[in-house]
Amino acid sequence: MKPVIKLAEKIKRVAEDLDEVRLMHLCGTHEDTITRYNLRSLLPPNIRLLSGPGCPVCITPDEDLQMVMHLLGNEKIILTTFGDMMRVPFEGRTLFTMRSEGYDVRMVYSIFDAVKLAKSTSTPVVHFAIGFETTMPSTAIALRDRVENFYVFSSHRFFIPAVHTLAEGIKVDGFINPGHVSTVIGVKPYEEILKKFGIPQVIAGFDPEDVMLSIYLLLECIRDGKMEIVNEYTRAVRYEGNVAAINAINETFDRADWAWRGLGTVRESGGAINRKYEDHDARKFFEDTFKDFQPKEDAKKRACRCGDVLKGVITPDKCPLFMRVCNPRNPVGACMVGFEGTCNIWATSSTVRTR
Ligand code: SF4
Ligand code: SF4
């Protein structure tokens, strides 16, 4: 922990020359590092560390989940998805509980397991695909296989448009950019945000030293009026990103205006499967089934503040349901479900919070 303490001292010195500074990280794994090592307690009171929309399960809106549930209820399909997504509730039901009702829902660790399953059966297999640019290349590769009875319900979302929406809507003085997404997209796309909003950014690794160093570098930029993007995570992130992965994404997905939990509709953020692969696009193939679909509001979630947690407006403990009604065994909102969800991280960490 020595380097962390040293960095905390350096942060304290820079912070003395500054008013209140609001830094936002955009990554579930960063929140995990910050919470488990209690890094917020090492920061001076004028430095606020906000948690943004970094978890793919959290930002997937209820509407997408309802659509998938609707499909499962009306078609004879096998539905596959990742474990955390199966635990997100809607009106008290989850994909897990639908499985106990007799629907064929299967948890997979990779989309390629879903492709394998499709090859072994004649029943249509629909994969509920979530995630940012980190998971989109795998979906692109799985679609290239063109397995006849394999379909993707894409809930993929592009990351950068959401950062635009955040920067437009809330006051942030610096962003700590996500490590894994950045290994795919590189440094370049963040330059648009710098140009438009003049907000300095650091692409950060996941160790406590990485996070503390990133905070220090951002504070230096703010103090000196330097508008920069610093790549602190050079061991994994290149300026141009992963070109093969970017090409696979561009070949497979078109950008659409899709909603995010907490952020509303974000322009050009949706990863809609393009025409080349439309025979395997569940939204298109089952178009008739979706004709009578109407999204609803889940009355049970009215008090849930996930939207505000995802925008850094509140910390999880400010939600009236936190650890009273909503806990990791019985999540009410999506932020309590996945291991990258801020509420789940706060609930499962033994950190004693002093602020
Ligand atoms: S996918 Fe990885 S880098 Fe991206 S937000 Fe989630 S944990 Fe962070
Ligand atoms: S504590 Fe539960 S209900 Fe409240 S914001 Fe978090 S996930 Fe939503």
Side-chain angles (χ1 to χ4, degrees), residues 52 149 289 296 315 337 350:
N149 58 331
T289 313
K296 290 187 278 177
T315 48
V337 173
S350 54

Side-chain angles (χ1 to χ4, degrees), residues 158-179:
F158 291 95
F159 199 73
I160 294 289
V163 186
H164 275 262
T165 300
L166 274 171
E168 270 162 7
I170 55 172
K171 187 186 168 309
V172 180
D173 302 303
F175 281 120
I176 299 173
N177 290 335

Side-chain angles (χ1 to χ4, degrees), residues 56 59-72 75 77-82 85 95 108 111 114-115 124-131 135-136 139-140 142-143 149-157 252-253 258-259 270-274 277-291 293 295:
I59 59 93
T60 302
D62 276 348
E63 181 170 338
D64 287 16
L65 177 61
Q66 284 180 74
M67 283 180 86
V68 166
M69 287 176 160
H70 180 84
L71 188 63
L72 198 54
E75 294 284 343
I77 58 163
I78 301 171
L79 183 84
T80 59
T81 195
F82 304 122
M85 201 60 229
L95 291 172
V108 288
I111 191 170
V115 175
V125 173
V126 178
H127 182 70
F128 184 16
I130 62 160
T135 48
M136 285 165 112
T139 303
L143 283 167
N149 58 331
F150 176 70
Y151 306 92
V152 171
F153 184 94
S154 173
S155 272
H156 285 300
R157 278 162 174 80
T252 315
F253 297 98
W258 282 2
I273 295 171
N274 72 21
Y277 295 101
E278 70 181 0
D279 292 352
H280 301 277
D281 179 352
R283 291 178 190 257
K284 293 236 172 77
F285 189 81
F286 297 101
E287 216 166 22
D288 288 345
T289 313
F290 291 124
K291 262 191 194 134
F293 169 78

Side-chain angles (χ1 to χ4, degrees), residues 262-280:
L263 300 185
T265 300
V266 178
R267 281 200 57 225
E268 303 201 338
S269 69
I273 295 171
N274 72 21
R275 283 183 59 188
K276 201 166 156 193
Y277 295 101
E278 70 181 0
D279 292 352
H280 301 277

Side-chain angles (χ1 to χ4, degrees), residues 162-208:
V163 186
H164 275 262
T165 300
L166 274 171
E168 270 162 7
I170 55 172
K171 187 186 168 309
V172 180
D173 302 303
F175 281 120
I176 299 173
N177 290 335
H180 301 150
V181 166
S182 306
T183 57
V184 177
I185 66 174
V187 180
K188 211 167 168 250
Y190 297 110
E191 289 173 349
E192 290 170 37
I193 292 155
L194 188 73
K195 232 193 262 163
K196 194 163 166 200
F197 301 100
I199 299 176
Q201 298 155 61
V202 175
I203 297 169
F206 298 105
D207 292 334

